[in-house]
Amino acid sequence: MTDADYDDLMPNAMKYHMSAEAFREHGYAMIDWIAKYMQAVETYPVMSSVKPGDVRANLPAQPPQHGEPFEQMLRDVDEIIMPGITHWQSPNFFGFFPANVSGPSILGDLLASGLGVQGMLWATSPACTELETHVLDWLVDMLDLPERFKSTTAGGGVIQDTASSSTLCALLAARERATSFDVNEHGADRKLIAYCSNQAHSSVEKAVKIAGLGRANLRLIEVDESFAMRPQALAEAIARDAAAGLTPCFVCATVGTTSSNGLDPVRAIGEVCKRNNIYLHVDAAMSGTAALCPEFRYIHDGLELADSYCFNPHKWMFTNFDCDCFYVADRAALIKTLSVQPEYLKNKASESGGGESGGVFDYRDWHIPLGRRFRALKLWFVIRHYGIEGLQSHIREHVKLSQEFASWVEADDRFELVVQPPLTLVCFRLSRGSDEMNQQLLDDLNRSGKLFLTHTKLDDKLTLRFSIGATYTERRHVEQAWALIQQTASA
Ligand SMILES: *Cc1c(COP(=O)(O)O)cnc(C)c1O
């Protein structure tokens, strides 16, 4: 039977759906569109220049009463949507952090959409759970993470939407551990204290607010000249709080801060946490991927002292957003923190052990939402397409280019490096320039459309951030960017 025959068999009630035949035709067109985009993206101005409201002004006020042809949607993508896109996939995108994607990842994501399964329980699609557990165990080996994060021990890994969610889940598990699961039962405890460096990601503050600890109970620990947390200052803050009758319960160390790529010393922090029986979460959202290469694994030194860890393949591992890998050493504690058992989800497989005694994993108990997409597919496709060797090669290239860029900055006395870049984020500024002059330089560069950079404040001074990690960035793009920066600074 042909697709058309199948379409003829469809009952009248199905007539509004897209037929398999039409799906195939439009699907090919969509893939062609994306492939062309990948090839052309470097020619687009990187930053969208639309004004607030411009995109909406071009959209009809009312949704259509009658269905429209797909071709029209694609046309509107070109005319209305594309002008409002900042091109994160451009090889000239050096802003914020990478959010790199790749062919195998896009196709894996498409397959997940096509299957459309809900992976909340093992029983709701066994492959969705088992592939995820398996690929996350692979990644423990690939990054040489501690064995205690493997599913074959008391720990295990799960894909979360974002690092922000991982931090929140870790904080909730820490909160329950510190109160013998009492907050879960009886509500907030105002004495719990959390710690991170004053360079940690804003998601820690958000988690502290959501988890009910209160922002006043988050201590921002000072950093050293490389913007890494001072373990001694952490130990002192914990001692002060404990002496005041408070309960220190959670430390978040960052491996690669967003602002400057600061690397908190995990081992020294872990020892402080051990001595004080405090839960340690390690946030390596941006930089954890570096550990694919043995020469960068020093960033994780002491990780076996952590209770949980996360990194984002959706930043620097060629995997489409969203994909954050979250590992815990004690999955039973996480599951106990987040599990609820409504009657309508009860099933034999779950009751066979719930993952705690070697039964199945029900991943809805490992994070906040109930429903979950089949995100392991894209990660599996990426790892199989590139192989460890391919991933390592690209990571090494990005680090090498960043180090070269930093050496060019150092060699030009109009500029200064604010800190030696450990990996792929270079923080620099005009050495004799005010904040206004640095801001002007940044604005002029971004307005050119030829590249895109963002800024931060370090030691209270405006600093330009040059972050390398887009999929298609090559040496020539970094060279062109540096030439343009030099030229713009002299203008
Ligand atoms: C980017 C980043 C985050 C936030 O990542 P999401 O996955 O978007 O929540 C958290 N921590 C660090 C260190 C980051 O670089």
Side-chain angles (χ1 to χ4, degrees), residues 82-250:
M82 291 309 281
I85 295 291
T86 287
H87 298 282
W88 284 71
Q89 302 312 317
S90 168
N92 300 312
F93 182 96
F94 303 106
F96 305 107
F97 44 79
N100 58 25
V101 309
S102 64
S105 167
I106 295 167
L107 295 175
D109 216 20
L110 184 60
L111 179 57
S113 294
L115 293 171
V117 302
Q118 273 289 351
M120 54 206 178
L121 305 173
W122 178 88
T124 59
S125 239
C128 180
T129 295
E130 293 195 15
L131 182 67
E132 184 162 328
T133 307
H134 201 76
V135 170
L136 269 82
D137 279 352
W138 274 3
L139 280 162
V140 169
D141 291 335
M142 290 169 67
L143 271 64
D144 198 22
L145 301 176
E147 281 293 305
R148 64 203 298 245
F149 290 149
K150 270 203 181 158
S151 68
T152 45
T153 69
V158 59
I159 299 178
Q160 301 258 351
D161 52 4
T162 60
S164 303
S165 294
S166 287
T167 299
L168 176 58
C169 289
L171 177 59
L172 295 172
R175 186 189 74 185
E176 294 312 307
R177 190 173 100 177
T179 62
S180 306
F181 294 86
D182 190 59
V183 177
N184 255 359
E185 294 305 321
H186 300 110
D189 176 334
R190 292 182 164 269
K191 292 187 172 162
L192 296 172
I193 311 290
Y195 307 81
C196 61
S197 89
N198 59 23
Q199 300 291 308
H201 191 263
S202 56
S203 53
V204 184
E205 179 183 332
K206 205 181 217 178
V208 161
K209 294 203 301 185
I210 297 169
L213 269 70
R215 193 156 46 188
N217 295 319
L218 175 64
R219 306 280 184 258
L220 300 180
I221 305 300
E222 66 188 76
V223 294
D224 64 18
E225 58 292 333
S226 70
F227 301 98
M229 190 196 289
R230 290 184 187 277
Q232 185 55 33
L234 172 67
E236 287 163 13
I238 290 169
R240 258 195 315 277
D241 287 326
L246 304 170
T247 307
C249 76
F250 176 78

Side-chain angles (χ1 to χ4, degrees), residues 59-72:
L59 294 167
Q62 304 294 330
Q65 178 64 27
H66 304 291
E68 299 178 73
F70 196 78
E71 290 80 2
Q72 207 150 309

Side-chain angles (χ1 to χ4, degrees), residues 349-361:
S350 297
E351 281 151 20
S352 76
E356 290 171 50
S357 54
V360 302
F361 284 0

Side-chain angles (χ1 to χ4, degrees), residues 222-378:
E222 66 188 76
V223 294
D224 64 18
E225 58 292 333
S226 70
F227 301 98
M229 190 196 289
R230 290 184 187 277
Q232 185 55 33
L234 172 67
E236 287 163 13
I238 290 169
R240 258 195 315 277
D241 287 326
L246 304 170
T247 307
C249 76
F250 176 78
V251 173
C252 179
T254 311
V255 169
T257 59
T258 318
S259 180
S260 69
N261 225 189
L263 301 167
D264 288 349
V266 175
R267 181 172 300 286
I269 292 169
E271 281 159 5
V272 172
C273 291
K274 266 261 127 43
R275 274 203 299 284
N276 294 277
N277 190 26
I278 298 175
Y279 187 110
L280 173 60
H281 174 63
V282 175
D283 173 5
M286 180 164 73
S287 299
T289 301
L292 285 167
C293 305
E295 65 270 32
F296 304 131
R297 288 187 186 150
Y298 71 89
I299 65 175
H300 287 152
D301 179 52
L303 195 57
E304 68 279 7
L305 299 170
D307 295 285
S308 56
Y309 168 83
C310 79
F311 85 106
N312 286 355
H314 73 221
K315 273 183 170 156
W316 192 21
M317 216 181 93
F318 311 101
T319 305
N320 284 63
F321 190 88
D322 49 357
C323 186
D324 164 88
C325 296
F326 177 55
Y327 291 95
V328 292
D330 177 6
R331 64 174 178 264
L334 178 72
I335 291 167
K336 192 168 172 198
T337 300
L338 297 175
S339 170
V340 284
Q341 296 290 346
E343 184 57 37
Y344 49 81
L345 292 178
K346 288 191 178 154
N347 67 88
K348 277 209 187 73
S350 297
E351 281 151 20
S352 76
E356 290 171 50
S357 54
V360 302
F361 284 0
D362 288 331
Y363 274 134
R364 58 116 197 243
D365 294 333
W366 296 54
H367 56 38
I368 299 193
L370 169 65
R372 57 201 327 271
R373 304 193 309 122
F374 197 166
R375 285 178 295 216
L377 279 173
K378 60 189 171 193

